[in-house]
Amino acid sequence: MAQVTMTVNGKAATGDIEGRTLLSAFLRETLNLTGTHVGCDTSQCGACVVHVDGEAVKACTILAAEAAGTEVTTIEGMANADGSLNVIQQAFQDHHGLQCGFCTPGMVMSAAALLKENPKPSEAEVRDYLEGNICRCTGYHNIVKAIMAASGQDVAAVAAE
Ligand code: FES
Ligand code: FES
Protein backbone atom coordinates (compact mmCIF):
# COMPACT_ATOMS: atom_id res chain seq x y z
CA MET A 1 0.00 0.00 0.00
CA ALA A 2 1.10 3.54 -0.67
CA GLN A 3 -0.38 6.89 0.14
CA VAL A 4 -1.62 9.06 -2.69
CA THR A 5 -2.78 12.67 -2.52
CA MET A 6 -4.51 14.75 -5.17
CA THR A 7 -6.97 17.61 -5.27
CA VAL A 8 -10.48 16.41 -6.02
CA ASN A 9 -13.22 18.94 -6.65
CA GLY A 10 -11.11 21.62 -5.01
CA LYS A 11 -10.27 19.70 -1.82
CA ALA A 12 -7.21 17.70 -0.87
CA ALA A 13 -7.92 13.97 -1.01
CA THR A 14 -5.59 11.34 0.41
CA GLY A 15 -5.90 7.59 0.55
CA ASP A 16 -3.89 4.41 0.94
CA ILE A 17 -3.96 2.43 -2.27
CA GLU A 18 -2.34 -0.51 -3.94
CA GLY A 19 -0.14 0.30 -6.89
CA ARG A 20 -2.64 -1.26 -9.30
CA THR A 21 -5.59 0.88 -8.10
CA LEU A 22 -7.24 2.71 -10.98
CA LEU A 23 -8.24 6.35 -10.61
CA SER A 24 -11.86 5.29 -11.13
CA ALA A 25 -11.62 2.87 -8.19
CA PHE A 26 -9.90 5.45 -6.00
CA LEU A 27 -12.65 7.97 -6.66
CA ARG A 28 -15.50 5.52 -6.14
CA GLU A 29 -14.21 3.23 -3.42
CA THR A 30 -11.78 5.33 -1.40
CA LEU A 31 -13.41 8.75 -1.76
CA ASN A 32 -16.98 7.45 -2.17
CA LEU A 33 -17.50 9.69 -5.19
CA THR A 34 -19.74 7.23 -6.97
CA GLY A 35 -20.93 9.68 -9.62
CA THR A 36 -18.00 8.52 -11.72
CA HIS A 37 -19.48 5.37 -13.26
CA VAL A 38 -17.66 2.27 -14.42
CA GLY A 39 -19.28 0.56 -17.37
CA CYS A 40 -16.44 -1.46 -18.82
CA ASP A 41 -13.05 -0.85 -17.15
CA THR A 42 -11.51 -1.30 -20.60
CA SER A 43 -11.65 2.29 -21.91
CA GLN A 44 -14.62 1.61 -24.19
CA CYS A 45 -17.67 3.31 -22.67
CA GLY A 46 -16.68 6.73 -21.34
CA ALA A 47 -18.91 6.49 -18.25
CA CYS A 48 -15.83 7.16 -16.11
CA VAL A 49 -14.68 10.42 -17.73
CA VAL A 50 -13.31 12.97 -15.26
CA HIS A 51 -11.05 15.96 -15.74
CA VAL A 52 -7.40 15.68 -14.74
CA ASP A 53 -5.68 19.05 -14.77
CA GLY A 54 -8.47 20.29 -17.01
CA GLU A 55 -8.29 17.48 -19.59
CA ALA A 56 -11.00 14.88 -20.09
CA VAL A 57 -9.62 11.49 -19.08
CA LYS A 58 -11.22 8.07 -18.79
CA ALA A 59 -10.56 7.36 -15.12
CA CYS A 60 -10.30 3.62 -15.77
CA THR A 61 -7.31 4.20 -18.02
CA ILE A 62 -4.93 5.66 -15.47
CA LEU A 63 -3.67 4.56 -12.12
CA ALA A 64 -4.55 6.60 -9.07
CA ALA A 65 -0.83 6.87 -8.43
CA GLU A 66 -0.39 8.53 -11.82
CA ALA A 67 -2.90 11.20 -10.80
CA ALA A 68 -0.99 12.05 -7.61
CA GLY A 69 -0.57 15.79 -7.30
CA THR A 70 -3.09 16.62 -10.02
CA GLU A 71 -6.36 18.53 -9.88
CA VAL A 72 -9.23 16.16 -10.56
CA THR A 73 -12.80 17.21 -11.20
CA THR A 74 -15.63 14.69 -11.09
CA ILE A 75 -19.32 15.09 -11.79
CA GLU A 76 -19.80 15.89 -8.09
CA GLY A 77 -17.75 19.04 -8.65
CA MET A 78 -19.72 20.31 -11.62
CA ALA A 79 -22.75 21.97 -10.04
CA ASN A 80 -22.80 25.72 -9.55
CA ALA A 81 -21.54 27.09 -6.23
CA ASP A 82 -25.13 27.43 -4.97
CA GLY A 83 -25.77 23.75 -5.70
CA SER A 84 -27.90 24.35 -8.79
CA LEU A 85 -27.22 22.44 -11.99
CA ASN A 86 -24.61 24.00 -14.24
CA VAL A 87 -25.51 25.01 -17.76
CA ILE A 88 -24.61 21.62 -19.28
CA GLN A 89 -26.42 19.61 -16.61
CA GLN A 90 -29.48 21.85 -16.96
CA ALA A 91 -29.43 21.44 -20.74
CA PHE A 92 -29.35 17.64 -20.35
CA GLN A 93 -32.42 17.92 -18.15
CA ASP A 94 -34.22 20.39 -20.42
CA HIS A 95 -33.55 18.44 -23.62
CA HIS A 96 -34.05 14.94 -22.18
CA GLY A 97 -30.42 14.05 -22.75
CA LEU A 98 -30.62 11.10 -20.38
CA GLN A 99 -32.79 8.11 -19.68
CA CYS A 100 -31.23 5.63 -17.25
CA GLY A 101 -28.47 8.12 -16.48
CA PHE A 102 -25.63 5.63 -16.42
CA CYS A 103 -23.64 7.35 -19.15
CA THR A 104 -24.61 10.85 -18.06
CA PRO A 105 -21.70 11.77 -15.76
CA GLY A 106 -19.21 10.85 -18.46
CA MET A 107 -21.26 12.63 -21.11
CA VAL A 108 -21.41 15.82 -19.03
CA MET A 109 -17.67 15.71 -18.30
CA SER A 110 -16.85 15.13 -21.96
CA ALA A 111 -19.23 17.90 -23.01
CA ALA A 112 -17.60 20.30 -20.56
CA ALA A 113 -14.17 19.51 -21.98
CA LEU A 114 -15.45 19.96 -25.53
CA LEU A 115 -17.08 23.32 -24.81
CA LYS A 116 -13.95 24.53 -23.08
CA GLU A 117 -11.85 23.94 -26.17
CA ASN A 118 -14.60 24.65 -28.72
CA PRO A 119 -17.35 26.89 -27.27
CA LYS A 120 -19.58 26.75 -30.37
CA PRO A 121 -19.13 23.27 -31.85
CA SER A 122 -21.05 22.15 -34.89
CA GLU A 123 -23.37 19.19 -34.57
CA ALA A 124 -20.80 17.08 -36.41
CA GLU A 125 -18.07 18.19 -34.01
CA VAL A 126 -20.24 17.25 -31.01
CA ARG A 127 -20.95 13.82 -32.46
CA ASP A 128 -17.28 13.34 -33.29
CA TYR A 129 -16.15 14.35 -29.79
CA LEU A 130 -18.58 11.93 -28.16
CA GLU A 131 -17.17 9.00 -30.08
CA GLY A 132 -15.65 7.61 -26.87
CA ASN A 133 -18.87 7.89 -24.85
CA ILE A 134 -21.43 5.14 -25.25
CA CYS A 135 -25.11 5.54 -24.40
CA ARG A 136 -27.38 2.51 -24.56
CA CYS A 137 -30.62 4.46 -24.11
CA THR A 138 -30.98 7.76 -25.89
CA GLY A 139 -29.81 7.22 -29.45
CA TYR A 140 -27.58 10.26 -28.79
CA HIS A 141 -29.96 12.71 -30.46
CA ASN A 142 -31.04 14.50 -27.30
CA ILE A 143 -27.52 14.41 -25.88
CA VAL A 144 -26.28 16.26 -28.96
CA LYS A 145 -29.19 18.68 -28.65
CA ALA A 146 -28.38 19.31 -24.99
CA ILE A 147 -24.75 20.06 -25.72
CA MET A 148 -25.67 22.38 -28.60
CA ALA A 149 -28.13 24.15 -26.30
CA ALA A 150 -25.53 24.43 -23.53
CA SER A 151 -23.27 26.19 -26.04
CA GLY A 152 -26.02 28.74 -26.67
CA GLN A 153 -26.85 27.49 -30.16
CA ASP A 154 -30.19 26.85 -31.79
CA VAL A 155 -31.11 23.18 -31.46
CA ALA A 156 -34.07 23.19 -33.83
CA ALA A 157 -31.85 22.16 -36.73
CA VAL A 158 -30.16 19.24 -34.95
CA ALA A 159 -30.70 16.32 -37.26
CA ALA A 160 -32.84 13.46 -36.07
CA GLU A 161 -30.98 10.21 -35.61
S1 FES B 1 -15.36 2.41 -17.35
FE1 FES B 1 -13.84 3.67 -18.18
S2 FES B 1 -14.28 3.74 -20.29
FE2 FES B 1 -15.77 2.36 -19.48
S1 FES C 1 -28.98 7.31 -20.57
FE1 FES C 1 -28.82 5.17 -20.27
S2 FES C 1 -26.84 4.70 -21.00
FE2 FES C 1 -27.13 6.76 -21.57
Side-chain angles (χ1 to χ4, degrees):
M1 299 288 266
Q3 195 175 74
V4 67
T5 299
M6 62 190 79
T7 303
V8 179
N9 300 330
K11 293 187 199 143
T14 299
D16 291 320
I17 55 161
E18 294 181 34
R20 63 188 172 87
T21 302
L22 298 172
L23 178 58
S24 49
F26 178 70
L27 293 170
R28 289 178 55 82
E29 293 160 26
T30 305
L31 303 184
N32 207 24
L33 293 171
T34 54
T36 298
H37 290 168
V38 173
C40 67
D41 250 350
T42 54
S43 82
Q44 309 286 313
C45 74
C48 65
V49 172
V50 298
H51 296 177
V52 177
D53 287 339
E55 302 283 329
V57 170
K58 289 177 175 174
C60 75
T61 64
I62 67 169
L63 298 171
E66 292 178 280
T70 65
E71 302 251 355
V72 176
T73 305
T74 71
I75 191 68
E76 288 89 346
M78 292 299 280
N80 295 320
D82 65 0
S84 60
L85 298 179
N86 77 10
V87 65
I88 298 170
Q89 294 169 313
Q90 189 62 54
F92 269 69
Q93 185 178 82
D94 293 345
H95 294 276
H96 309 288
L98 64 148
Q99 289 183 22
C100 80
F102 192 84
C103 71
T104 311
M107 289 288 183
V108 169
M109 299 310 288
S110 289
L114 167 64
L115 297 184
K116 196 171 92 172
E117 71 182 53
N118 183 359
K120 298 276 181 212
S122 67
E123 181 186 338
E125 287 171 332
V126 172
R127 289 184 183 276
D128 190 54
Y129 197 88
L130 293 183
E131 201 182 28
N133 291 78
I134 293 173
C135 175
R136 297 195 302 184
C137 304
T138 67
Y140 302 94
H141 179 59
N142 287 351
I143 292 173
V144 176
K145 261 173 117 171
I147 296 171
M148 297 293 282
S151 71
Q153 301 187 86
D154 182 13
V155 299
V158 173
E161 190 74 354

